[in-house]
Amino acid sequence: MAFSSPMKKSAWLLFGCIVATTSTSNAQVKGEEGTPMIPGTPYRVHDGSRPQPPQVQSAGALTTPAPGDAKVLFDGKSLDAWTVGGKEATWKVENGTLIASPGDLQTKDTFGAVQVHIEWRIPAGRQVNGQAGGNSGIFLMGLYEVQILESHTNKTYPDGQAGALYGQKPPLVNASTPQGEWQSYDIAFEPPVYKDGKVVTPAKATVIHNGVVVQHGEEYFGTSTYRNLASYPENHPTDGPIRLQFHGDPIEFRNIWVRPLGERDKAPAP
Ligand code: MG
């Protein structure tokens, strides 16, 4: 097509600019440079250009009470189930809410395959930017992170947003609700299975965020790590604590419980 007048030509140039801006909008999300490729994908670890998961409206936290066979980890009062660095659990508790404070919080008990329920909230009015300002995480066995992040309006690399298996798998969709609102994760987790010092079945997680499935029996590539490809250690424990990350931000928690998953046709341990 020939341009018949200078005005038409400038209109086409303007159109071209708009198209270019739209198609590169993901590139504006800050990722990490120089990271390895994630196997089976055309994306790098913490890739800012990876497609942002579609946002879905959700009703916010499911406030499921602990079933009869659950171990209550936080009931609004006691931190008896927890420790920070092997010592007293020093995270703040205010008005029934647990507030992330210096040092990761981890359970005294250890677990293998589990169902976990946890409710969390980014306090209203947080200044957030990518991974900064609204970051925590729940680590199954102390090793496998499901990311907690302010992801309602805050964009980051998709393998680091709320509901991601951090550094490995973005959530299928973004079910995040705004700051100041309670959100929930219901997680079913299975540890890896080893045979003769090698992984035969990777660790696996299903994550339901605010009632929405965001990870469906997804396998971890290995234990959670930053900027690197996850891998499995030679020696792997059979169980480990549930750990809540302190990333410098006062993320709030309530109603936390866990159910160890038994095996079909086997009576539970007495
Ligand atoms: Mg985190």
Side-chain angles (χ1 to χ4, degrees), residues 3 6 9 11 23 29 31 54 57 63 70-71 78-79 90 94 112 121 165 179 197-198 212 226 236 259 270:
F3 294 107
K9 187 175 179 180
S23 63
V29 173
Q57 200 177 352
T63 54
K71 179 175 177 59
S78 167
L79 286 183
T90 45
E94 280 176 16
R121 174 167 74 174
L165 309 187
Q179 292 190 15
K198 292 220 167 72
V212 179
Y226 170 61
H236 197 285
R259 294 181 59 248

Side-chain angles (χ1 to χ4, degrees), residues 135-137 145 147-148 245 247:
N135 193 334
S136 181
E145 184 178 18
Q147 173 71 316
I148 289 174
Q245 183 184 48
H247 201 282

Side-chain angles (χ1 to χ4, degrees), residues 41-128:
T41 78
Y43 305 109
R44 296 183 180 280
V45 172
H46 314 317
D47 197 330
S49 69
R50 194 165 185 170
Q52 291 283 317
Q55 202 129 10
V56 298
Q57 200 177 352
S58 73
L62 300 183
T63 54
T64 318
D69 64 351
K71 179 175 177 59
V72 174
L73 297 176
F74 181 65
D75 63 358
K77 297 184 213 96
S78 167
L79 286 183
D80 284 356
W82 302 88
T83 170
V84 170
K87 302 197 178 112
E88 192 192 344
T90 45
W91 281 25
K92 265 183 269 174
V93 177
E94 280 176 16
N95 303 319
T97 298
L98 174 63
I99 303 167
S101 312
D104 284 7
L105 189 72
Q106 68 178 45
T107 55
K108 293 174 183 168
D109 283 348
T110 57
F111 307 93
V114 284
Q115 173 186 356
V116 182
H117 176 86
I118 187 166
E119 295 169 32
W120 56 274
R121 174 167 74 174
I122 310 296
R126 290 294 295 170
Q127 291 292 318
V128 292

Side-chain angles (χ1 to χ4, degrees), residues 57-65 117-122 175-178 180-186 208-212 252-255:
Q57 200 177 352
S58 73
L62 300 183
T63 54
T64 318
H117 176 86
I118 187 166
E119 295 169 32
W120 56 274
R121 174 167 74 174
I122 310 296
S176 298
T177 53
E181 294 186 12
W182 284 103
Q183 310 196 43
S184 63
Y185 284 158
D186 289 280
I208 300 176
H209 181 191
N210 296 333
V212 179
E252 300 174 342
F253 298 90
R254 70 178 186 191
N255 190 20

